[in-house]
Amino acid sequence: MDTHDSTRATESGRLRDLRVPELLWRLHTAGRTGCLRLHRGAIEKCLYLVDGRPVFARSNEAGDRLTERLLARGLLSRAQYEQAQDLLARASGKRIGQVLLEAGLIRERELNEALNEQIQRMIESMFSWTEGTWAFEPDAASSEPVALDRPTAAMIMHAARHRIPPRRLWEALGDRDQLPRLSADDRSPAGRAALAELLRLEPSETAWLDRLDGARSLAELADGFDVDEHELLALIYTLRLIGRLHLEAGEAPAFAFQR
């Protein structure tokens, strides 16, 4: 990441050199406030952060529009969707949510839930980008009052689980003979419980935590009977990214079959 002393300087780079999960976690741990803009062709997505925490997102991609998400969730009928499109075309300077509420097309609780889901989906869609450019504009702020209610680490875990394919996770982790070991503070029952809460883990994911003790290699864990490889890799990738797991060098086998 190109850094500058001036808080007004824009930092930028290519996604092939620094992927979105790593970039987001760097901004999070540094407690940065501003706007992260991603470009891929004509598509632009903007993620606003406050003290390193994602709070809002915007996109010019049609599928990311709030009305599209409300229609997909069944919170707007097709007729209501068409009515909303007409109202928005005539609205001047009003937020989409405000227009929908004033027209009685949605309730405030449903709107807030849909907004959170929409923003989460926009963030997750960024995780699948491997080409394009990024730029971080320090101190840029969103005028929207919405704030996401999910920890940044949990966002990364959710996106790794659903958006990053196993092939890319293997590439990020490297040698399959490495031994994954949880950080010392996370190995106790209380530590594992706190980690599961931080990442909003499913029970099957939580069950992996006590097995990440450095006794088995990535290959051995992934090759177990009835293992959900994607789930395992997403968990190890996220834990390593946020500094809660180390991959230790293991002994290379005499020979190995190609996967």
Side-chain angles (χ1 to χ4, degrees):
M1 184 187 304
D2 299 325
T3 57
H4 306 274
D5 292 332
S6 171
T7 58
R8 296 184 179 182
T10 297
E11 304 155 31
S12 61
R14 300 181 304 174
L15 292 177
R16 69 175 60 179
D17 300 324
L18 183 61
R19 299 292 171 83
V20 175
E22 290 84 357
L23 175 57
L24 177 58
W25 190 249
R26 287 192 189 187
L27 294 171
H28 172 76
T29 55
R32 302 296 299 278
T33 294
C35 176
L36 174 63
R37 294 186 186 275
L38 303 181
H39 287 91
R40 187 179 64 181
I43 299 175
E44 179 185 77
K45 301 193 183 225
C46 307
L47 176 61
Y48 293 90
L49 300 98
V50 174
D51 297 330
R53 186 170 66 92
V55 295
F56 196 73
R58 293 184 184 277
S59 169
N60 66 358
E61 196 167 18
D64 287 335
R65 294 172 184 159
L66 176 60
T67 48
E68 302 291 337
R69 176 80 345 235
L70 294 172
L71 178 65
R73 288 190 62 185
L75 294 174
L76 289 180
S77 66
R78 174 57 65 175
Q80 289 173 321
Y81 171 82
E82 297 296 342
Q83 181 184 354
Q85 296 298 96
D86 182 61
L87 290 170
L88 291 169
R90 292 186 282 111
S92 176
K94 288 187 176 181
R95 299 184 180 96
I96 294 176
Q98 181 183 358
V99 172
L100 297 175
L101 287 172
E102 290 177 354
L105 294 175
I106 192 171
R107 291 178 292 186
E108 187 170 4
R109 178 181 60 80
E110 294 173 334
L111 174 63
N112 289 335
E113 291 176 356
L115 278 169
N116 266 275
E117 180 183 336
Q118 178 207 23
I119 297 168
Q120 176 70 39
R121 283 176 172 267
M122 272 194 274
I123 295 173
E124 289 182 4
S125 70
M126 300 174 186
F127 279 53
S128 64
W129 288 19
T130 57
E131 295 292 334
T133 60
W134 64 269
F136 184 72
E137 301 171 6
D139 302 322
S142 168
S143 60
E144 299 289 343
V146 179
L148 290 171
D149 58 3
R150 187 186 294 265
T152 304
M155 291 183 196
I156 293 174
M157 178 65 212
H158 194 269
R161 184 192 297 133
H162 296 290
R163 293 284 187 165
I164 306 178
R167 173 184 57 79
R168 277 186 52 199
L169 293 171
W170 275 120
E171 290 173 356
L173 294 175
D175 192 341
R176 296 170 184 249
D177 294 321
Q178 295 176 100
L179 308 172
R181 184 190 299 274
L182 278 181
S183 299
D185 292 342
D186 297 311
R187 293 176 199 161
S188 68
R192 295 197 301 271
L195 197 53
E197 175 64 22
L198 172 68
L199 297 179
R200 307 278 179 90
L201 296 182
E202 300 292 339
S204 58
E205 295 164 337
T206 301
W208 278 110
L209 295 178
D210 65 356
R211 300 186 64 190
L212 303 179
D213 56 3
R216 290 168 285 269
S217 70
L218 291 171
E220 290 171 323
L221 291 168
D223 288 341
F225 175 72
D226 202 27
V227 167
D228 184 334
E229 182 183 80
H230 198 172
E231 174 186 82
L232 172 64
L233 295 178
L235 176 62
I236 292 176
Y237 169 84
T238 302
L239 289 170
R240 184 193 189 197
L241 177 62
I242 67 174
R244 310 295 282 271
L245 175 142
H246 303 286
L247 290 176
E248 302 171 350
E251 293 185 7
F255 65 91
F257 293 105
Q258 293 293 322
R259 290 179 61 88

